[in-house]
């Protein structure tokens, strides 16, 4: 087999220096026919080994018969069905070659985004536990949003994956940009569209912003690949080496890091997201004149314990509205309770679980109400009846009336002794 170096040297000596074929054969120690073949070949010599058979060749017809009926049958099951006597790697290698003929190939197109057209959203769950107070640490979701055209990245930690908290996070990020993307892409997140249809809270949010929410097909993370890659970017570039004292501290550090992240050059767009954001911004929809429906909300009748529950935490309410309907609203920062449009409780929201948050004013009001009720009961028990002319009327004991009418409600027992 003639080496590539010798092939190149033969062609140089003969064509560049005019060395005769016989002399080239003598210098390089190769046959004249080899020199002639090298001069007649326009391509370098390539060594090709004769193909050898593989252990999977004899079993391929059986594999194809199974894949014809069950295209996604796992390799271990196929090995059992066909009596495969070897290790699984050769079988898996052959299946990787022939299986696409039966299950089909799903090609992925390169997608280009127009300014203001789309923003992809997702929840990222960093493994690091964040202190939330009361001696608790939790793994909390981070809402991540990526603009399609500019690749501008924004994110914020939220207290839960309930619809109200997710929508609050979305409004915070959109309000930070200053305009609304025309389409918000989500996966099948339960609070957004877990059944394949956009939920009522998400639809109300989108309607207020004059945008639409588009749900990704099931089990298709590539549909929102921009934000998925940014989740990995956050995992590998933001999180390592950091410690957080609270969710607020997490968001402060994240905001500072995002400023630098959006100033880097992104190869796919040959520019910096912070520079291209203005083009994205101009093509987006203006913010609505009102705040969209966000946060957690509920309406209940206040019980005697004068507490309402929000996300597994109990918050006190003015006990003067016990027995009346109250409206509870909760943002990631505060919990507010209204009764007939009047604020009857306001607390800083706790991100810890199973806590009881009591306003000292509410506790003092409840104590005064209990004291007043006790005094009223005592007053009623000590009350004396008065006649119409004002003189007191004594209260007779009930047994006196029983004796007057000859009634005995406790007759002696007639059981034989």
């Amino acid at each position: 087999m003639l080496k590539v170096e010798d092939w190149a040297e033969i062609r140089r000596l003969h064509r560049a220096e005019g060395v005769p074929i016989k002399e080239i054969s003598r210098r390089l120690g190769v046959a004249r026919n080899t020199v002639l073949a090298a001069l007649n070949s326009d391509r370098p010599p390539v060594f090709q080994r004769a193909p050898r058979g593989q252990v999977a060749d004899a079993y391929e017809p059986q594999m194809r018969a199974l894949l014809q009926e069950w295209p996604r049958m796992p390799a271990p099951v196929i090995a059992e069905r066909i009596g495969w006597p070897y290790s699984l790697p050769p079988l898996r290698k052959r299946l990787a070659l022939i299986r696409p003929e039966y299950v089909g190939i799903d090609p992925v197109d390169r997608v280009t985004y127009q300014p203001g057209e789309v923003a992809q959203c997702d929840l990222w769950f960093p493994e690091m536990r964040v202190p939330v107070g009361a001696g608790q640490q939790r793994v909390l979701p981070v809402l991540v949003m990526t603009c399609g055209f500019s690749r501008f990245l924004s994110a914020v930690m939220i207290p839960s994956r309930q619809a109200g908290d997710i929508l609050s996070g979305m409004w915070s990020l959109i309000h930070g940009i200053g305009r609304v993307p025309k389409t918000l892409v989500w996966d099948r997140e339960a609070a957004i569209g877990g059944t394949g249809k956009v939920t009522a809270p998400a639809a109300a949010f989108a309607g207020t912003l004059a945008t639409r929410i588009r749900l990704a097909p099931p089990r298709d993370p590539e549909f929102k690949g921009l934000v998925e890659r940014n989740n990995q970017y956050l995992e590998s570039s933001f999180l390592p080496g950091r410690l957080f004292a609270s969710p607020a501290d997490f968001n402060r550090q994240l905001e500072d890091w995002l400023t630098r992240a959006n100033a880097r050059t992104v190869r796919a767009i040959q520019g910096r997201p912070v520079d291209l954001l203005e083009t994205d911004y101009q093509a987006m929809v203006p913010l609505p004149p009102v705040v969209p429906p966000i946060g957690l909300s509920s309406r209940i009748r206040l019980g005697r314990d004068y507490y309402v529950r929000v996300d597994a935490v109990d918050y006190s309410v003015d006990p003067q509205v016990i027995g009346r309907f109250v409206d509870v609203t909760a943002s990631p920062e505060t919990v507010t309770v209204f009764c007939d449009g009047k604020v009857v409780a306001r607390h800083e929201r706790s991100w810890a679980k199973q806590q009881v948050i009591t306003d000292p004013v509410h506790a003092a009001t409840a104590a005064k109400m209990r004291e007043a009720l006790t005094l009223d009961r005592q007053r009623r028990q000590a009350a004396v009846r008065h006649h119409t002319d004002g003189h007191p009327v004594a209260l007779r004991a009930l047994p006196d009336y029983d004796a007057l009418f000859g009634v005995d409600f406790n007759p002696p027992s007639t059981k034989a002794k």
Side-chain angles (χ1 to χ4, degrees), residues 302 304-307 316-322 344 358-373:
L302 187 64
R304 288 180 55 201
D305 63 350
Y306 63 92
Y307 281 83
S316 67
V317 181
D318 188 345
Q320 296 181 83
V321 296
I322 287 176
V344 291
T358 304
D359 188 332
V361 175
H362 298 161
T365 302
K368 292 180 180 178
M369 292 174 64
R370 284 191 296 269
E371 182 180 356
L373 181 62

Side-chain angles (χ1 to χ4, degrees), residues 297-377:
S297 61
S298 61
R299 180 179 175 85
I300 65 170
R301 189 185 295 274
L302 187 64
R304 288 180 55 201
D305 63 350
Y306 63 92
Y307 281 83
V308 295
R309 178 162 296 180
V310 176
D311 195 21
V313 178
D314 293 335
Y315 299 88
S316 67
V317 181
D318 188 345
Q320 296 181 83
V321 296
I322 287 176
R324 298 167 64 182
F325 279 102
V326 295
D327 297 297
V328 185
T329 61
S331 71
E333 296 81 23
T334 59
V335 174
T336 308
V337 184
F338 298 89
C339 181
D340 294 335
K342 179 182 177 182
V343 176
V344 291
R346 191 186 302 275
H347 298 273
E348 180 180 352
R349 183 170 176 181
S350 172
W351 290 25
K353 295 290 187 180
Q354 286 80 44
Q355 298 297 302
V356 178
I357 311 299
T358 304
D359 188 332
V361 175
H362 298 161
T365 302
K368 292 180 180 178
M369 292 174 64
R370 284 191 296 269
E371 182 180 356
L373 181 62
T374 301
L375 293 175
D376 183 66
R377 287 176 177 173

Side-chain angles (χ1 to χ4, degrees), residues 147-166:
C147 295
F149 175 77
S150 64
R151 303 298 200 271
F152 188 82
L153 171 63
S154 53
V156 64
M157 177 172 278
I158 56 178
S160 77
R161 61 194 303 179
Q162 298 182 68
D165 287 333
I166 293 178

